[in-house]
Structure formats: C-alpha cells, structure tokens
Amino acid sequence: DTEVTQTPKHLVMGMTNKKSLKCEQHMGHRAMYWYKQKAKKPPELMFVYSYEKLSINESVPSRFSPECPNSSLLNLHLHALQPEDSALYLCASSQDPGPGGQPQHFGDGTRLSIL
Amino acid sequence: SQQGEEDPQALSIQEGENATMNCSYKTSINNLQWYRQNSGRGLVHLILIRSNEREKHSGRLRVTLDTSKKSSSLLITASRAADTASYFCATATQGGSEKLVFGKGTKLTVNP
C-alpha cells in the first residue's frame, strides 16, 4: 500500500473529452509533483507545487492544467489530449520544498489511454 | 534532460547472486537517490546518499558515490525473485530546486 493515493487507476478518454486525475496524501508533505512516464522510460517531471503554489512547470502543453486545492490534494485537469499523451501519470510528494532534493513518495499512478 | 545514465540497461541473474547497477551523472549534485519500480506500480525510494558521503548501507543494499568520477553504484546482495524490478538513480542538483532528474533505469530480473 502506498501513502500517496491516485485515482482513477485507469482512464480511457477521447481527444475531445475533459477529465481530471486526482492525487491525495496525508503525510503533511508540502511539496507535490506530477510526472509522466512512458513505457520503459524514466519518469519525466511535469509540475511541482510548493506550499500549494506552482513552483515548476516543465514547459508542459496547456492541455494539462494542474491544481492544488489544499495541502493534501493535487489534481491534473486534462483537455483535448493527443494520442501521444497516453502514458502512466505519477503523483509524488516530499516533506519540504526547497533546494536539496528530498526523498519522494510516489502513488501507483493513473494509466491513461487516449483514443 | 536526463542527468543520470544507468548501466547496464538490463540485468538477469539467479536468486542468491549479487546485482550491481551503475549510474553516471554530469553536474555537481546535492545528493543521489535510488528508486525501485515494480511493474505497473509507482516508484519506491530505497536510499539517499549525500554528496559528502562515500558509502551507505540499508539492509541488503549498498550504495557508493564517487563525486570525482560523477558515478554511483547500487549493490543488492543475496538477491531474491522479489527484487525483480526497474531501478532508477535520481540526482538533486547542487544549488537547485526540489527537482529530481531520473536516469534511464536498469531492468533487473532475478530468476528463481
């Protein structure tokens, strides 16, 4: 069991759909992350939230829109995705933001398929 | 951009044998971390070694860091079938943010 919970586990959507991925942690961590992982590749950082504010956007297309409603929740809103956006989307959290690179706790991801 | 490069890309061993994976990186780091990912699951943090440390142990895991060569190795002793997974190194750049940059990973298969 992971301490970072992601829902849904699987999502199939058309290119015109709007959907959201959700991530929740109750460890009191103040940094939260979204990663994209393609098969047999390492995770690629998309966004970082520090103290509920967006601190890093790795030049992600605007069809991905992150949101951090509170310190425990992280959402990723999806709209007009492309087939190449099919991937495993991982959420992670770490205790404190800021320089240093703290250990990150990952959820099991949402497997996203775009038709 | 990928900071860490692991080798080998894939490693297949028998249960009970030791497995060694290597990671090279390019810039000065604050720390280096190793993660494990089982098929279809998220990553699990294994061990963190700081730039001023040379060796660290955790159970059957031994990590070394050579900052002069910008390289690290992960040794898993007495491997078990349950160690079958992908292993990634990740670096935190010195003076940088909370961002981690992951290497390409080593796929380890431990045969029973």
Side-chain angles (χ1 to χ4, degrees):
Chain A
D1 288 341
T2 59
E3 296 168 316
V4 176
T5 303
Q6 291 188 242
T7 56
K9 293 190 185 307
H10 302 275
L11 180 61
V12 179
M13 56 188 287
M15 289 190 284
T16 58
N17 292 156
K18 286 185 181 181
K19 296 285 185 183
S20 297
L21 309 185
K22 297 186 183 301
C23 174
E24 190 168 5
Q25 57 88 14
H26 294 288
M27 295 178 283
H29 289 177
R30 303 310 300 272
M32 296 186 76
Y33 310 78
W34 280 115
Y35 289 88
K36 174 183 177 181
Q37 187 179 28
K38 302 283 267 186
K40 299 185 180 180
K41 297 290 186 183
E44 295 178 15
L45 183 66
M46 300 174 72
F47 303 104
V48 181
Y49 272 82
S50 302
Y51 297 108
E52 298 142 57
K53 294 191 187 315
L54 183 64
S55 60
I56 297 177
N57 177 342
E58 292 285 282
S59 302
V60 179
S62 60
R63 58 185 183 268
F64 296 90
S65 176
E67 178 195 20
C68 189
N70 59 56
S71 61
S72 299
L73 293 174
L74 188 65
N75 298 322
L76 186 63
H77 303 296
L78 314 173
H79 174 55
L81 295 194
Q82 303 298 307
E84 61 265 27
D85 297 323
S86 297
L88 180 68
Y89 287 84
L90 293 163
C91 174
S93 68
S94 64
Q95 189 165 11
D96 293 310
Q102 298 202 352
Q104 294 183 13
H105 298 247
F106 283 80
D108 281 336
T110 294
R111 178 76 59 188
L112 177 64
S113 298
I114 307 299
L115 301 178
Chain B
S1 62
Q2 295 303 316
Q3 163 82 305
E5 298 279 340
E6 286 95 329
D7 79 270
Q9 290 188 0
L11 180 61
S12 182
I13 60 173
Q14 296 299 121
E15 228 173 7
E17 293 180 340
N18 296 341
T20 300
M21 289 159 268
N22 302 297
C23 169
S24 60
Y25 57 92
K26 297 176 182 175
T27 63
S28 296
I29 60 170
N30 189 58
N31 65 58
L32 186 144
Q33 303 175 33
W34 285 91
Y35 288 79
R36 183 189 75 230
Q37 185 176 31
N38 291 85
S39 181
R41 302 296 299 273
L43 282 75
V44 174
H45 179 261
L46 295 176
I47 198 165
L48 180 154
I49 186 165
R50 302 187 193 286
S51 60
N52 61 354
E53 296 176 310
R54 292 296 167 258
E55 187 171 314
K56 205 161 183 180
H57 297 256
S58 177
R60 293 184 296 113
L61 306 180
R62 172 177 170 252
V63 169
T64 61
L65 179 65
D66 187 336
T67 52
S68 66
K69 295 181 179 177
K70 292 187 167 55
S71 67
S72 172
S73 67
L74 171 66
L75 169 68
I76 304 174
T77 60
S79 63
R80 306 165 181 168
D83 294 327
T84 294
S86 291
Y87 291 82
F88 295 95
C89 68
T91 51
T93 303
Q94 193 174 62
S97 67
E98 57 269 276
K99 177 178 174 178
L100 291 179
V101 180
F102 286 85
K104 294 180 179 178
T106 293
K107 171 64 179 159
L108 173 66
T109 302
V110 181
N111 301 297

